[in-house]
Amino acid sequence: MASAASTAPGAEESGHRRHRLAASLQISPRPRRWRPSSSLGQDPAPGSVDSEGGEQPLASAAAGDSSGPRAGAGVRAQEDLGEQTGQPPRVSVGPAGPAGDFWKAARQLGPRLKDPPPGQAVAVLTNYAATLGVSLIFREDQTADPRFPFSMHVELDGVACPAGTANSKKEAKQQAALSALSYIQSQLESPEPPKTPSKPPLGSVSVENILTHEQRCAAVVSAGFDRLVDMTSPYWACKGTVAAVILEREVPGAKGHTKEIYELVALGTGSSSCAGWLEFSGRQLHDCHGVVIARRALLRFLFRQLLLATQGGPKGRERSVLAPQPGPGPPFALKPRVFLHFYISNTPKGAAHDIYLPQSSEGSTPFRLQAHIRGELKPVCYLAPILRDTHVGCLSASDKLARWAVLGLGSALLAHFLPPLYATSLVLADPCHDPPTLNSAIHTRPTLDRDLGSCLPPPYTRNTLHLFSGPPVAPSDPSPNTCHELSLNWSLGDPDVEVVDVSTGRVKADAALGPPSRLCKAAFLRAFRQAAQALGKSHLLALKTYEEAKAGPYQEARQQLSLLLDQQGLGAWPSKPLVGKFRN
């Protein structure tokens, strides 16, 4: 969950959410590759659910009060199925409630469906179902029309949509998806509540058709990437390094159930960083590793949500994930029952890769900070000062995850408007990673001991991520990697992905030097001033440089964290004050 570190009214709800994620952790199944069937050209058998198909990326997820009969029955049914098949039971949230829950969740998400080209209808519907977290089933029908021998219809969470007919099964599926999108849009625009059929009996539910948290995250990321980047694109290979931030909303459903809507809000790809000379204009993107880019895309999304909440009127305030917060602290905070999750394709570079380093007798880890500089990854204590002060240097992704676990996913600029935002979970899709090493790299550096006085200023604290081994979304037979020196980024609200040339830290262009990225420091300083102006914060508008705008509690906590790291022999966090002296 992403919430303020300080004690808030949602603390009990956060604890309840943690227990549910912990249950999935204890029985996390063996990672399985997520293979959208729309990419592979596979079709489900008539009347069946394709648990691996892209058209059915998510089973509906609903959770009620533990005392409710349906919640207990859902878990019990899964355990019984596990015993019958000889497999360990998989604890997951149970199937959805009545089909009316689908329309309630769809209305809360808002009318986001457009009329796509026929060839993209299945991908658009897949993404929509993945966002809502509902089951998506393509069923084959019998047809008596010899002109159109193939007929299919869509079922979304038990809601049957009009059929589509064509001369081939593939075209019939596309037509069924188009019919479903048109039907959903017409129902959402209708002033009368939609009439929904009863759901099919629960007897058809099997262990393989109930998806866990990590599988849902993978489905949302895969569907989102496929919607943004076509398989024929030269950037398709970038899917092998994709990382993302998924936003989860808990929506009240029927009969006390809670539906969970998963939505992709930030995405990044990349496996390297800029190795050139430092620039001091704020227009160079330094670190282009997927998880770092995804987090920067999240910052862009949050700045946009601030403007939506302040300038979007009543509808904007309702749609925004942020809500005003009274009191002397930051003016906004995440709304209740909103959580953030990481999905990462590859093991973070740095300490998480050091699986052969033993634990010390005191229980602390020997993992020191490491930095990318001139194409190499080295411990920061071995970096020559002249090299560190003149070339781009970026701490490893493992080190940055450790920092975000303490300072939150926000930034010094965003901290003027929002409290620390912490992720609930991290899904790592690399089957070769070592979970204890990853846990130590994120959660034990530095040691925070209040008894010794080495604590951070409030409200900053260490937040423990729930770590999951998830299914990969990259193609099993990827094309030759043409994206090694490229990085893609996207956040919810952007019309398309941005392609960055890692060697220059700027947008890829035919010219020698492209325009600055929308994720560079200068772009964030501009977004900071827009938010300050929208909120009427004249004292923030008076801050002229990027370095001045960063001053505040977040920066103080970061300096304290750096001091603790250095005192504990892990290395000093590199500081480049000259890089922040620019003005827009």
Side-chain angles (χ1 to χ4, degrees):
M1 77 210 67
S3 59
S6 56
T7 55
E12 291 185 4
E13 131 202 339
S14 301
H16 173 65
R17 180 65 183 148
R18 285 181 176 279
H19 288 311
R20 292 166 56 196
L21 284 176
S24 293
L25 256 179
Q26 293 171 3
I27 45 73
S28 181
R30 181 176 179 270
R32 183 175 57 181
R33 188 174 301 278
W34 187 265
R35 296 176 296 176
S37 62
S38 59
S39 300
L40 299 178
Q42 299 172 347
D43 293 299
S48 66
V49 180
D50 180 2
S51 62
E52 291 189 65
E55 286 74 18
Q56 299 83 314
L58 299 178
S60 179
D65 182 42
S66 58
S67 60
R70 186 173 183 87
V75 174
R76 181 66 249 171
Q78 296 169 51
E79 292 174 350
D80 291 342
L81 284 169
E83 293 171 3
Q84 293 170 10
T85 57
Q87 298 174 350
R90 288 165 58 179
V91 179
S92 176
V93 289
D101 286 359
F102 166 73
W103 295 114
K104 187 171 184 178
R107 288 187 183 278
Q108 184 144 352
L109 185 63
R112 299 187 179 184
L113 298 176
K114 305 294 182 183
D115 293 331
Q120 297 181 13
V122 172
V124 172
L125 185 62
T126 297
N127 185 67
Y128 187 71
T131 298
L132 285 177
V134 298
S135 61
L136 172 58
I137 307 172
F138 282 82
R139 295 192 185 275
E140 228 177 306
D141 303 320
Q142 298 295 327
T143 176
D145 191 341
R147 297 173 302 167
F148 303 106
F150 294 94
S151 176
M152 298 186 76
H153 77 272
V154 168
E155 283 189 10
L156 274 167
D157 203 24
V159 176
C161 301
T165 58
N167 291 319
S168 68
K169 186 180 291 186
K170 183 176 180 180
E171 291 179 3
K173 177 183 283 188
Q174 293 288 352
Q175 291 299 320
L178 282 172
S179 298
L181 292 171
S182 177
Y183 174 71
I184 294 168
Q185 186 71 22
S186 65
Q187 292 295 320
L188 292 179
E189 293 174 352
S190 173
E192 298 182 0
K195 297 180 180 179
T196 55
S198 59
K199 284 184 67 68
L202 198 63
S204 60
V205 176
S206 70
V207 172
E208 294 302 318
N209 293 333
I210 300 174
L211 302 188
T212 56
H213 166 72
E214 57 270 31
Q215 291 171 321
R216 292 192 67 187
C217 288
V220 171
V221 174
S222 182
F225 187 94
D226 292 348
R227 179 174 55 85
L228 293 166
V229 182
D230 190 77
M231 284 186 65
T232 60
S233 168
Y235 308 123
W236 175 254
C238 293
K239 195 174 185 181
T241 61
V242 68
V245 179
I246 298 107
L247 185 140
E248 176 193 357
R249 293 185 182 92
E250 288 188 348
V251 181
K255 297 183 179 180
H257 292 280
T258 299
K259 288 188 68 66
E260 298 162 348
I261 298 177
Y262 283 44
E263 186 171 22
L264 180 67
V265 296
L267 181 146
T269 74
S271 58
S272 57
S273 57
C274 182
W277 298 86
L278 275 176
E279 289 186 5
F280 303 97
S281 63
R283 289 163 173 79
Q284 182 186 47
L285 200 57
H286 293 173
D287 196 338
C288 293
H289 289 84
V291 64
V292 178
I293 293 297
R295 181 258 183 176
R296 294 187 74 85
L298 173 68
L299 299 182
R300 176 175 167 83
F301 166 76
L302 291 172
F303 272 118
R304 187 182 287 120
Q305 292 295 301
L306 277 172
L307 296 180
L308 184 63
T310 54
Q311 299 180 329
K315 288 187 177 180
R317 288 192 292 272
E318 182 182 354
R319 289 173 53 200
S320 176
V321 300
L322 305 177
Q325 179 176 254
F332 282 85
L334 274 181
K335 290 180 177 178
R337 297 180 176 271
V338 175
F339 312 100
L340 297 174
H341 307 287
F342 266 124
Y343 178 91
I344 306 176
S345 293
N346 308 111
T347 302
K349 293 183 180 178
H353 270 281
D354 297 337
I355 62 176
Y356 299 112
L357 293 179
Q359 298 283 330
S360 66
S361 57
E362 291 82 8
S364 61
T365 61
F367 305 137
R368 291 184 287 189
L369 301 183
Q370 301 178 51
H372 299 273
I373 193 162
R374 296 181 66 179
E376 297 181 353
L377 184 64
K378 298 180 178 179
V380 294
C381 58
Y382 295 155
L383 297 181
I386 185 64
L387 199 63
R388 186 181 58 210
D389 296 338
T390 57
H391 286 74
V392 174
C394 310
L395 281 184
S396 70
S398 294
D399 299 333
K400 291 186 175 180
L401 283 168
R403 183 180 74 180
W404 300 335
V406 176
L407 301 182
L409 299 179
S411 65
L413 301 186
L414 205 58
H416 291 286
F417 312 108
L418 296 172
L421 306 177
Y422 295 104
T424 299
S425 70
L426 184 150
V427 178
L428 181 54
D430 188 345
C432 299
H433 81 281
D434 181 59
T437 302
L438 178 67
N439 180 65
S440 296
I442 296 176
H443 296 133
T444 64
R445 302 181 304 151
T447 301
L448 301 180
D449 191 340
R450 292 183 177 273
D451 295 335
L452 299 179
S454 57
C455 59
L456 296 166
Y460 295 95
T461 185
R462 172 169 285 129
N463 176 71
T464 301
L465 284 166
H466 291 280
L467 304 179
F468 291 84
S469 297
V473 299
S476 55
D477 296 318
S479 57
N481 189 0
T482 57
C483 299
H484 178 66
E485 289 298 322
L486 298 177
S487 173
L488 309 184
N489 71 75
W490 173 88
S491 63
L492 186 61
D494 291 331
D496 206 348
V497 295
E498 179 184 76
V499 184
V500 173
D501 184 345
V502 178
S503 63
T504 63
R506 289 173 173 258
V507 175
K508 184 177 183 295
D510 295 333
L513 197 63
S517 168
R518 59 194 178 193
L519 301 185
C520 68
K521 291 181 173 64
F524 284 138
L525 181 58
R526 183 167 58 252
F528 165 78
R529 288 179 175 156
Q530 289 175 345
Q533 186 171 8
L535 289 168
K537 303 288 185 180
S538 56
H539 66 287
L540 296 180
L541 291 172
L543 304 173
K544 299 301 182 183
T545 67
Y546 183 80
E547 193 70 21
E548 291 175 358
K550 288 170 60 178
Y554 179 96
Q555 199 67 0
E556 294 172 7
R558 176 172 171 169
Q559 292 170 356
Q560 178 66 14
L561 181 64
S562 178
L563 179 63
L564 291 173
L565 289 166
D566 197 17
Q567 289 176 345
Q568 296 176 20
L570 300 174
W573 200 281
S575 176
K576 296 185 177 66
L578 291 178
V579 174
K581 297 297 184 183
F582 67 89
R583 307 183 182 195
N584 272 348

